[in-house]
Amino acid sequence: MRPVDDTGAAKRLESGLPLVDIPPPGSRQESAATEVAETPGPEAEKKAPCPGLGLFYTLLSAFLFSVGSLFVKKVQDIHAVEISAFRCVFQMLIIIPCLIYRKTGFIGPKGQRIFLLLRGVLGSSAMILLYYAYQSTSLADATVISFSCPVFTSIIACIFLKEKYSPWDAVFTAFTITGVILIVRPPFLFGSEVVETDKDYSVHLKGAFAALVHAVFAAVTLVILRKIGTSVDYMLSIWYYVVAGLTECIIALSILGEWSLPHCGLDRLFLILIGLFGLGGQVFLAKAIQIEKAGLVALMKTMDVVFAFIFQIIFFHDVPSWWTVGGSLCVVASSIGAAVRKWYQSSK
């Protein structure tokens, strides 16, 4: 393809619009427009997705992520760190050929390496903590608490990227904190009866805390990705993620002494499916963001919570308490409110 010298043409190329030279005033604009409309080029056909396709990709991504978390919950004989290690190995086998094909290298630009390393360490730590939360507390509780990530992202972006933090963001933060408190139900607020009636409350508390720290780490990771921007290929970012994650997992498993191959053939199948469904969820979410508005994607992403509740009831026969339902409504309302506000601002 010959290089595009015109600035307007370059912008149209980036946005996916067909490269059509704009004629000067007085020329046959109408006939040219009619001709282009009647004979659309391959780029125009390629960049005209089916209406609602992005939302369908988001829904499919939410379903795949939820099924992956279900398998994590099912594999109880393998430590969460080891599950994370298997996922990193699986993704590494896919990322390496992609990096070789795209010729991006394995190190990255010199000025961005520290950010890539931080993204990899914090992102993989967030994954390990989320898997631990899935195993320690209920599927619904861990999923809902992890949805507090956007609130922490707004706060951290305000501090480090100097992004505006409006009163609406403070309202959404208050809703999220209220929801997390209702789910965790700390004894100093709800009394000692909570601990006495729930024999596994200490385990639940550890899982809830892990999900909350996951949300914080994931928020910092998103801020780092914003800082990096498009200066680094996204495949290279995932490469740092899996390399740092695998290194963390090997060190942690060596210290904990938890390394062991799964005894059951079904657990081995679950480990493979966790990697497959996790990768599939990432791919469909990336495709959804490419062709759909981010606000709508964020709204549809809340289906993660719905799937978590359904799977918890069907596969574990665990009906969520009213505290969990109330906390979930607060967190989901906060996420929806933030998404609608961003959508409204971008549409002005």
Side-chain angles (χ1 to χ4, degrees):
M1 181 182 294
R2 62 181 180 85
V4 181
D5 297 327
D6 180 60
T7 305
K11 290 183 178 178
R12 292 196 297 276
L13 178 61
E14 292 176 357
S15 60
L17 297 176
L19 290 174
V20 180
D21 293 330
I22 302 176
S27 62
R28 301 172 58 188
Q29 294 184 9
E30 294 183 0
S31 60
T34 305
E35 184 179 350
V36 173
E38 291 176 352
T39 58
E43 293 184 7
E45 294 179 356
K46 185 177 180 180
K47 295 297 181 179
C50 175
L53 183 61
L55 296 180
F56 173 74
Y57 282 157
T58 309
L59 183 64
L60 186 58
S61 170
F63 177 76
L64 293 176
F65 279 132
S66 299
V67 175
S69 63
L70 172 65
F71 290 143
V72 173
K73 184 73 174 177
K74 281 286 189 181
V75 181
Q76 290 291 340
D77 295 333
I78 303 177
H79 199 278
V81 179
E82 187 173 353
I83 297 176
S84 304
F86 276 104
R87 176 175 172 174
C88 289
V89 170
F90 180 83
Q91 290 187 335
M92 187 178 292
L93 295 177
I94 298 176
I95 293 298
I96 290 176
C98 292
L99 288 175
I100 296 174
Y101 174 77
R102 298 168 73 93
K103 299 179 181 179
T104 58
F106 292 87
I107 300 178
K110 187 175 182 180
Q112 301 290 356
R113 292 171 190 171
I114 182 63
F115 295 112
L116 287 169
L117 182 60
L118 287 173
R119 179 265 186 273
V121 172
L122 293 174
S124 56
S125 299
M127 172 187 63
I128 296 171
L129 288 168
L130 184 61
Y131 283 1
Y132 177 79
Y134 284 146
Q135 290 189 335
S136 302
T137 187
S138 67
L139 199 60
D141 289 357
T143 303
V144 171
I145 294 175
S146 68
F147 258 72
S148 60
C149 174
V151 171
F152 294 114
T153 303
S154 300
I155 297 174
I156 297 171
C158 175
I159 296 173
F160 293 100
L161 300 183
K162 308 303 179 183
E163 294 185 1
K164 184 179 179 182
Y165 189 79
S166 68
W168 279 111
D169 292 320
V171 172
F172 299 144
T173 301
F175 264 86
T176 299
I177 293 175
T178 302
V180 172
I181 290 175
L182 290 176
I183 294 172
V184 177
R185 302 186 300 278
F188 65 88
L189 290 178
F190 290 81
S192 58
E193 294 82 4
V194 177
V195 181
E196 294 175 357
T197 54
D198 191 353
K199 297 180 180 179
D200 298 328
Y201 179 77
S202 60
V203 179
H204 164 75
L205 192 61
K206 292 178 182 178
F209 181 75
L212 189 62
V213 178
H214 152 82
V216 176
F217 282 4
V220 178
T221 301
L222 289 175
V223 172
I224 292 174
L225 289 175
R226 287 187 192 177
K227 176 70 176 177
I228 294 174
T230 58
S231 61
V232 176
D233 191 283
Y234 71 95
M235 283 290 181
L236 188 62
S237 175
I238 299 176
W239 166 251
Y240 270 83
Y241 170 81
V242 296
V243 170
L246 185 59
T247 305
E248 283 185 52
C249 291
I250 292 175
I251 295 174
L253 289 171
S254 301
I255 296 174
L256 296 173
E258 294 284 348
W259 184 268
S260 62
L261 291 176
H263 303 290
C264 177
L266 192 60
D267 285 344
R268 299 176 186 177
L269 176 62
F270 285 159
L271 289 175
I272 297 175
L273 292 177
I274 288 169
L276 282 174
F277 281 97
L279 184 61
Q282 288 179 339
V283 170
F284 281 110
L285 183 60
K287 291 178 69 67
I289 293 175
Q290 288 176 348
I291 63 176
E292 190 57 84
K293 292 182 179 179
L296 291 176
V297 172
L299 288 175
M300 186 61 72
K301 193 73 172 62
T302 57
M303 287 300 296
D304 280 12
V305 178
V306 178
F307 288 131
F309 273 85
I310 294 173
F311 291 161
Q312 179 174 317
I313 295 173
I314 294 177
F315 294 99
F316 301 102
H317 309 289
D318 183 7
V319 180
S321 65
W322 286 110
W323 293 114
T324 297
V325 173
S328 302
L329 291 176
C330 289
V331 175
V332 171
S334 173
S335 299
I336 292 177
V340 170
R341 182 173 176 273
K342 294 290 185 183
W343 181 24
Y344 175 75
Q345 287 180 333
S346 63
S347 62
K348 283 185 178 182

